[in-house]
């Protein structure tokens, strides 16, 4: 029994980490006032790039790096279109998702069915061997720890440093930020690329740690859940951790219940995370005071300086 | 070094327009120097060049005797120039301290900064709570943030762009004390305004601009308000004529214990508002921005529906449940505060904008369900002619008109219908003296022909000019409407601060305590 609980917890952690990585990146993007709906596409490209690079070099860390760079590059395209060319952010983001899914399928054609390189789990002598707690706390792969470090760093950066203050200011009123002499477009480019890198990492996690293989559309809507998580968290970093692990748990629960042969149609169980997403979003959005206080006022609005 | 700042033969050209034409002026340290002029006279362009936001086409600036170029606002701040804009550059979701930190170079230490803010705001009589969130603050408090933001950089020259437009009389008095104190410490102040009394009271020197040129540099103490106005306009200014007779017509617009819940965390709840506007009179509602004016306008115009139909009665008919068009068809007309985006669609032409508010009440505009563009153009032309709207093309887009001209058009569109009830929010906000006079005269004339007019305004001069009775709105509650002849701006100021019965006690303290 203990072993079963342990394996469920370990699966929840691996299922939650990609959501956490993608969502914390998008949170920074949205805090700067940009809505990038292309998370799913950037994750897909990150996944295939990470898989390919790891396969070719035999080194999973090369794969992680490739995933990160690929996500950032794709987001740079989004930045160019929406920030420099001032295209509509919603339409561009949707297009980015379609582009990312398509490109990843094309790039990954040769990888289908190939065994991947697995990102190994940490093994600290003594600590990782502790029963139950050891594997959970000290036996994860490094991206699990990195995702939490990123959340802590983002939280500190947003609320304790000048950089974070500037990002929040740009998201709250780009006109005022511009009037004070800040480069609105510059700040947003950096945030968009940070978000792209995080989405890429999330995709890489899927193809290197979650299921070390490449399957087309393997992101399976996780990018959309990550977007919903940002709203769920009302743009506060630590709440993303709660949300990501909650949704990770629901996903895993779906699988586990199926494994136990409980008489619920499997389609319904796999739809569970999405149903819960919709319900939670509705509940959260009803609390208008909370939404108004943290929602970046300029979210999704194009910025064109007066002169 | 006699002069802090000299502008020598400065010219700024935008396309074919000379916004500043050979402007020469000098500002001494410790002097409060007014720039006076109508909208479009070139005041803003001039100060934007001093603040580095614009570059002169020709001419030069001297700072403490040395020729300088000011390539950016950052460079201006480095020289010691601070500026408080009319439109604040603030971030509503951030705290006072964070807003100020964004404008401060150097190390990032919020605790130290909060201490400095508290000290400066105490020294200069600008009470501010560093940890308050801007969205919760009044306009007066927001302005203080901007001023403190400048003062923390120890400026030698402070530029204020129409600072009192958004303040209560008491808040304005407090601001004058602050500015005088600054001047006595040697800081020069450039004070942009078109309020003549204020300039006479506060300023040591006044430069008057008209059509981009300096037309006079005078000592305001030796001038009268009328002589300053003549210099500013280049002729006599039209005085609104209103025969104030107590006709006591029937009540055409009646608000009866009107209540409206707040629709958001930063909105105001309306409580028990009762008011009657009779045929033939202009009733004005004074108040500081954000005390329920917008909500009241929405409730009266029908943009938000009321709980009971009887809360709003137009010409005897309870209409609290009816929408905007039904109320329009009953003879009412509404002019919202924001002309671009609310009063008119920026990307629509003037004739299309005419159709938007009059399609249901004007048979000439819609024929068997189809818009008659000819009819709309005809009405649009008539408004343009009657209200002297200046435009470049025959039927331009609304956004291409200047603020004053668009306001004349938006007001004209409703007045042209000869409505029985007119409700108008901020009729002359940001409009120059000539256009203001036209609009105010038209409002008074409409009332004298038997309509009931309700004006919501933050401009006390305007209210005294046109209103027969005045009520004051404060935190969603409306005072009784007093006859205008029996009120002074001091009494109104007290009402604005929330003292609903005019008390005999020391007024100023009440006023400030209530806002803090």
């Amino acid at each position: 029994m203990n072993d079963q609980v342990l394996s469920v917890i370990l699966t929840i952690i691996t299922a939650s980490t990609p959501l956490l990585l993608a969502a914390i990146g998008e949170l920074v993007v949205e805090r700067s006032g940009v809505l990038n709906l292309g998370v799913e596409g950037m994750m897909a490209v990150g996944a295939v790039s990470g898989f390919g690079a790891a396969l070719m070099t035999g080194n999973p860390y090369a794969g992680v790096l490739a995933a990160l760079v690929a996500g950032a590059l794709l987001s740079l395209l989004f930045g160019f279109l929406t920030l420099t060319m001032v295209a509509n952010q919603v339409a561009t983001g949707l297009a980015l998702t379609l582009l990312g899914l398509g490109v990843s399928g094309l790039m990954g054609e040769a990888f289908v069915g190939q065994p991947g390189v697995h990102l190994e789990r940490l093994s600290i002598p003594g600590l990782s061997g502790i029963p139950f707690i050891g594997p959970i706390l000290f036996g994860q792969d490094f991206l699990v720890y990195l995702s939490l470090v990123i959340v802590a760093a983002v939280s500190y950066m947003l609320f304790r440093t000048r950089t974070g203050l500037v990002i929040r200011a740009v998201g709250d009123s780009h006109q005022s930020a511009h009037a004070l002499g800040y480069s609105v477009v510059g700040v947003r480019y950096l945030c968009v690329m940070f978000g792209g890198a995080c989405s890429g990492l999330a995709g890489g996690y899927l193809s290197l740690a979650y299921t070390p293989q490449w399957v087309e559309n393997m992101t399976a809507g996780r990018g959309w859940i990550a977007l919903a998580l940002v709203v769920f968290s009302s743009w506060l970093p630590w709440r993303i951790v709660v949300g990501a692990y909650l949704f990770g748990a629901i996903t895993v629960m779906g699988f586990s219940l199926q494994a136990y042969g409980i008489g619920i149609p499997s389609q319904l169980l796999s739809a569970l995370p999405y149903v819960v997403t919709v319900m939670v979003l509705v509940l959260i959005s009803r609390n208008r005071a909370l939404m108004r206080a943290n929602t970046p006022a300029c979210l999704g609005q194009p910025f064109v300086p007066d002169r | 070094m006699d002069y802090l700042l000299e502008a020598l033969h400065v010219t700024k050209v935008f396309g074919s327009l000379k916004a500043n034409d050979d402007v020469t002026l000098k500002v001494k340290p410790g002097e409060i120097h007014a720039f006076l002029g109508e909208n479009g006279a070139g005041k803003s362009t001039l100060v934007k060049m001093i603040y580095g936001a614009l570059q002169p086409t020709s001419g030069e600036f001297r700072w403490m005797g040395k020729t300088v170029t000011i390539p950016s606002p950052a460079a201006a701040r480095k020289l010691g120039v601070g500026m408080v804009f009319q439109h604040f550059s603030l971030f509503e979701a951030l705290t006072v301290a964070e807003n100020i930190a964004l404008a401060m170079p150097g190390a990032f230490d919020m605790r130290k900064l909060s201490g400095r803010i508290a000290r400066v705001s105490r020294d200069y009589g600008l009470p501010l709570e560093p940890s308050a969130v801007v969205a919760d603050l009044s306009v007066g408090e927001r302005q203080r943030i901007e001023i403190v933001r400048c003062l923390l950089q120890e400026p030698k020259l402070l530029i204020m762009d129409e600072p009192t437009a958004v303040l209560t009389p008491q808040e304005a008095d407090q601001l004058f004390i602050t500015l005088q104190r600054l001047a006595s410490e040697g800081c020069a102040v450039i004070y942009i305004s078109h309020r003549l009394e204020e300039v006479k009271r506060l300023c040591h020197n006044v430069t008057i601009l008209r059509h981009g040129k300096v037309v006079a540099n005078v000592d305001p103490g030796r001038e009268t308000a009328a002589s300053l106005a003549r210099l500013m306009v280049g002729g006599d200014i039209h005085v609104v004529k209103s025969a104030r007779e107590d006709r006591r017509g029937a009540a055409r617009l009646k608000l009866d214990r009107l209540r409206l819940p707040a629709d958001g965390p930063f909105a105001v709840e309306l409580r028990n508002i009762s008011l009657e506007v009779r045929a033939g009179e202009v009733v004005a509602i004074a108040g500081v921005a954000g005390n329920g004016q917008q909500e009241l306008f929405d409730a009266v115009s029908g943009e938000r529906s009321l709980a009971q139909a009887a809360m709003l009665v137009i010409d005897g008919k309870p209409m609290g449940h009816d929408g905007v068009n039904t109320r329009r068809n009953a003879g009412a007309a509404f002019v919202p505060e924001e002309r671009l985006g609310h009063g008119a669609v920026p990307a629509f032409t003037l004739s299309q904008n005419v159709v938007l508010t009059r399609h249901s009440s004007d048979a000439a505009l819609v024929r068997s369900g189809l818009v008659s563009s000819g009819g709309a153009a005809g009405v649009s032309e008539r408004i343009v002619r009657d209200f002297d709207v200046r435009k470049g093309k025959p039927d331009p887009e609304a956004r291409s008109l200047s603020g004053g001209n668009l306001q004349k058009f938006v007001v004209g569109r409703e007045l042209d219908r000869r409505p029985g009830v007119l409700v108008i929010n901020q009729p002359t906000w940001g409009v120059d003296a000539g256009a203001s006079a036209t609009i105010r005269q038209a409002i008074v004339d409409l009332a004298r022909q038997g309509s009931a007019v309700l004006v919501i305004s933050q401009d006390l001069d305007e209210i005294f000019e046109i209103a027969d009775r005045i009520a004051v709105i404060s935190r969603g509650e409306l005072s009784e409407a007093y006859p205008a002849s029996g009120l002074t701006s001091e009494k109104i100021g007290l009402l604005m601060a929330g003292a609903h019965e005019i008390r005999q006690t020391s007024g100023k303290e009440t006023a400030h305590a209530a806002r803090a």
Side-chain angles (χ1 to χ4, degrees):
Chain A
M1 188 62 205
N2 233 354
D3 279 358
Q4 277 173 4
V5 174
L6 178 64
S7 88
V8 167
I9 291 179
L10 290 179
T11 327
I12 289 176
I13 293 175
T14 30
S16 308
T17 301
L19 297 177
L20 182 56
L21 282 167
I24 192 68
E26 178 69 11
L27 180 137
V28 173
V29 179
E30 293 192 12
R31 274 284 184 179
S32 79
V34 179
L35 182 64
N36 184 353
L37 294 179
V39 176
E40 180 86 1
M42 297 186 295
M43 277 177 78
V45 169
V48 75
S49 308
F51 184 88
L55 195 69
M56 283 183 251
T57 59
N59 183 345
Y61 296 97
V64 169
L65 189 68
L68 183 147
V69 172
L73 281 179
L74 196 56
S75 72
L76 195 60
L77 174 67
F78 176 83
F80 175 74
L81 291 174
T82 58
L83 301 174
T84 305
M85 308 305 284
V86 205
N88 180 297
Q89 292 179 8
V90 171
T92 311
L94 292 174
L96 198 72
T97 288
L98 296 176
L99 176 73
L101 290 174
V103 165
S104 65
L106 186 69
M107 284 166 70
E109 224 168 358
F111 304 147
V112 177
Q114 294 220 38
V117 181
H118 200 295
L119 189 62
E120 73 260 28
R121 289 168 183 261
L122 210 63
S123 167
I124 305 170
L127 290 176
S128 305
I130 304 174
F132 201 73
I133 299 174
I136 294 176
L137 290 184
F138 306 107
Q140 305 294 340
D141 54 73
F142 92 103
L143 276 179
V144 171
Y145 304 107
L146 182 68
S147 66
L148 293 169
V149 169
I150 291 177
V151 173
V154 164
S155 181
Y156 181 83
M157 187 266 303
L158 275 180
F159 299 108
R160 292 275 177 277
T161 69
R162 182 185 288 273
T163 313
L165 181 58
V166 171
I167 291 174
R168 285 187 289 140
V170 167
D172 187 55
S173 167
H174 45 217
Q175 291 299 354
S176 292
H178 177 69
L180 289 185
Y182 289 102
S183 165
V184 172
V185 171
V187 169
R188 288 186 172 169
Y189 255 110
L190 292 176
C191 290
V192 163
M193 284 181 67
F194 175 79
C198 286
S199 289
L201 268 185
Y205 191 82
L206 288 176
S207 65
L208 294 167
Y210 191 65
T211 49
Q213 54 177 322
W214 167 251
V215 188
E216 205 174 327
N217 291 338
M218 71 183 297
T219 46
R222 287 187 182 80
W224 299 109
I225 293 195
L227 276 164
L229 279 175
V230 179
V231 182
F232 170 90
S233 74
S234 52
W235 294 271
L236 296 174
W238 284 109
R239 291 193 191 169
I240 292 235
V241 180
V242 177
Y245 276 75
L246 184 71
F247 282 99
I250 293 169
T251 315
V252 171
M253 209 173 73
F255 292 135
S256 308
L257 290 178
Q258 278 176 51
Y260 283 113
I262 288 175
I264 303 171
S266 65
Q267 290 85 347
L268 199 63
L269 288 173
S270 22
L272 203 59
Y274 309 98
V275 175
V276 173
T277 307
V278 170
M279 283 183 347
V280 167
L281 282 184
V282 169
L283 287 177
I284 296 236
S285 306
R286 283 175 63 88
N287 187 344
R288 291 172 73 182
L290 181 82
M291 294 299 285
R292 279 275 279 279
N294 281 313
T295 313
C298 285
L299 186 59
Q301 290 176 18
F303 172 71
V304 186
D306 286 342
R307 273 173 297 279
Chain B
M1 182 192 87
D2 290 340
Y3 294 105
L4 179 68
L5 174 81
E6 293 162 86
L8 300 173
H9 309 290
V10 169
T11 298
K12 176 72 189 177
V13 182
F14 293 112
S16 60
L17 176 80
K18 267 192 181 173
N20 281 157
D21 188 359
D22 195 26
V23 169
T24 295
L25 59 86
K26 290 164 182 176
V27 180
K28 280 185 224 149
E31 168 183 76
I32 303 181
H33 191 125
F35 286 5
L36 197 59
E38 291 200 273
N39 282 7
K43 296 167 299 186
S44 295
T45 308
L46 182 57
V47 292
K48 276 181 185 161
M49 286 190 286
I50 297 172
Y51 192 59
L54 290 175
Q55 299 307 313
T57 310
S58 64
E60 66 173 38
F61 288 106
R62 283 189 195 164
W63 181 256
M64 301 199 282
K66 284 197 206 84
T67 301
V68 287
T69 55
I70 311 169
S72 70
R77 286 196 290 265
K78 217 166 183 177
L79 284 177
V81 181
M83 175 152 179
V84 176
F85 287 90
Q86 203 177 0
H87 298 283
F88 305 146
S89 301
L90 295 176
F91 305 92
E92 299 226 338
L94 305 183
T95 66
V96 170
E98 286 175 331
N99 267 280
I100 292 172
L102 280 164
M104 302 289 292
F108 184 75
D109 183 344
M110 292 302 286
R111 194 168 309 162
K112 216 161 120 191
L113 184 64
S114 294
R116 283 182 67 196
I117 293 167
R119 199 161 54 244
V120 168
S121 70
R122 194 177 53 240
D123 286 356
Y124 288 92
L126 299 158
L128 268 185
E129 168 56 46
S131 62
V133 175
V134 172
D136 299 331
L137 301 183
S138 71
V139 182
E141 287 168 308
R142 291 177 190 212
Q143 186 181 60
R144 281 181 222 148
I145 303 176
E146 289 273 6
I147 297 173
V148 169
R149 190 141 90 172
C150 288
L151 293 187
L152 280 175
Q153 310 193 22
E154 287 153 16
K156 297 187 183 73
L157 172 67
L158 182 64
I159 304 171
M160 306 277 306
D161 191 358
E162 301 205 14
T164 55
V166 293
L167 301 181
T168 64
Q170 280 84 0
E171 282 176 324
D173 286 344
Q174 183 60 49
L175 174 68
F176 294 162
I177 294 171
T178 304
L179 292 181
Q180 275 155 352
R181 155 128 199 219
L182 265 175
S184 72
E185 289 172 358
C187 177
V189 177
I190 290 180
Y191 189 89
I192 301 180
S193 182
H194 54 235
R195 295 192 176 180
L196 307 164
E197 289 299 338
E198 230 171 69
V199 167
K200 265 177 67 66
R201 210 176 116 196
L202 179 72
C203 300
H204 308 128
N205 196 344
V206 51
T207 294
I208 298 167
L209 291 151
R210 195 192 320 144
H211 302 312
K213 291 193 175 104
V214 173
V215 291
N217 183 283
V218 293
D219 176 355
R222 296 187 177 184
E223 300 287 327
T224 63
S227 67
L228 287 173
R230 262 197 301 280
L231 287 167
M232 185 165 94
V233 185
D236 282 313
I237 210 160
H238 175 82
V239 179
V240 174
K241 288 189 274 296
S242 77
R244 258 188 204 140
E245 38 192 294
D246 193 8
R247 274 189 240 176
R248 298 243 162 208
R252 302 198 70 170
L253 173 69
K254 191 172 152 199
L255 312 182
D256 187 14
R257 282 160 287 160
L258 183 151
R259 272 172 282 120
L260 191 68
D263 68 343
F266 307 132
V268 179
E269 178 192 352
L270 298 182
R271 281 175 290 200
N272 275 326
I273 290 189
S274 294
L275 180 71
E276 275 188 4
V277 188
R278 300 190 204 99
E281 72 171 348
V282 178
V283 174
I285 294 183
V288 181
N291 271 286
Q293 287 96 330
Q294 188 58 50
E295 287 81 359
L296 182 62
F297 181 84
D298 289 350
V300 175
S301 68
E303 289 186 35
R304 288 179 65 193
S305 188
L306 296 170
Q308 290 161 19
M311 284 178 174
L312 179 87
V313 181
I314 294 173
D315 278 335
K317 262 187 282 179
M319 305 208 76
H321 289 322
D322 293 303
V324 183
N325 273 327
T326 320
R327 296 185 196 191
R328 282 190 186 128
N329 291 341
F334 311 100
V335 183
E337 169 178 7
E338 196 193 347
R339 50 186 162 253
L340 209 57
H342 196 171
V345 177
F348 279 17
T349 64
L350 295 185
S351 63
Q352 287 169 329
N353 272 298
V354 167
V355 177
L356 284 178
T357 65
R358 295 177 56 168
H359 59 89
S360 65
S361 57
D362 201 327
L365 295 180
V366 178
R367 291 205 189 104
S368 30
L370 297 174
V371 171
S372 157
S373 50
V379 175
S380 167
E381 275 310 308
R382 187 169 70 224
I383 297 165
V384 164
R385 202 173 51 239
D386 291 352
F387 286 85
D388 185 29
V389 178
R390 315 250 171 95
K391 57 190 176 63
K393 290 191 291 186
D395 194 13
E397 291 176 355
R399 67 167 155 235
S400 69
L401 262 57
S402 74
N405 279 308
L406 183 59
Q407 184 69 12
K408 282 194 279 189
F409 184 82
V410 170
V411 173
R413 178 178 64 186
E414 305 309 322
L415 287 175
D416 179 68
R417 283 178 52 202
R418 307 250 145 247
V421 171
L422 175 70
V423 181
I424 181 164
N425 194 359
Q426 296 275 55
T428 61
W429 188 79
V431 173
D432 65 60
S436 294
T438 311
I439 291 171
R440 290 172 189 170
Q441 185 66 59
I443 290 172
V444 170
D445 290 347
L446 179 78
R448 298 299 172 249
Q449 286 159 21
S451 300
V453 179
L454 180 64
V455 175
I456 302 172
S457 176
Q458 289 156 35
D459 182 343
L460 283 183
D461 295 339
E462 168 172 278
I463 287 177
F464 278 117
E465 202 172 331
I466 62 178
D468 301 306
R469 290 191 296 144
I470 301 172
V472 175
I473 192 166
S474 162
R475 297 181 194 180
E477 291 184 50
L478 192 69
S479 76
E480 193 188 321
Y482 300 94
S485 49
L487 280 177
T488 60
S489 37
E490 281 67 36
K491 279 185 188 167
I492 291 185
L494 285 181
L495 289 168
M496 280 179 179
H500 271 278
E501 293 120 44
I502 299 175
R503 296 186 198 117
Q504 301 300 317
T505 50
S506 63
K508 275 192 182 162
E509 277 166 29
T510 330
H512 288 294
R515 255 277 151 243

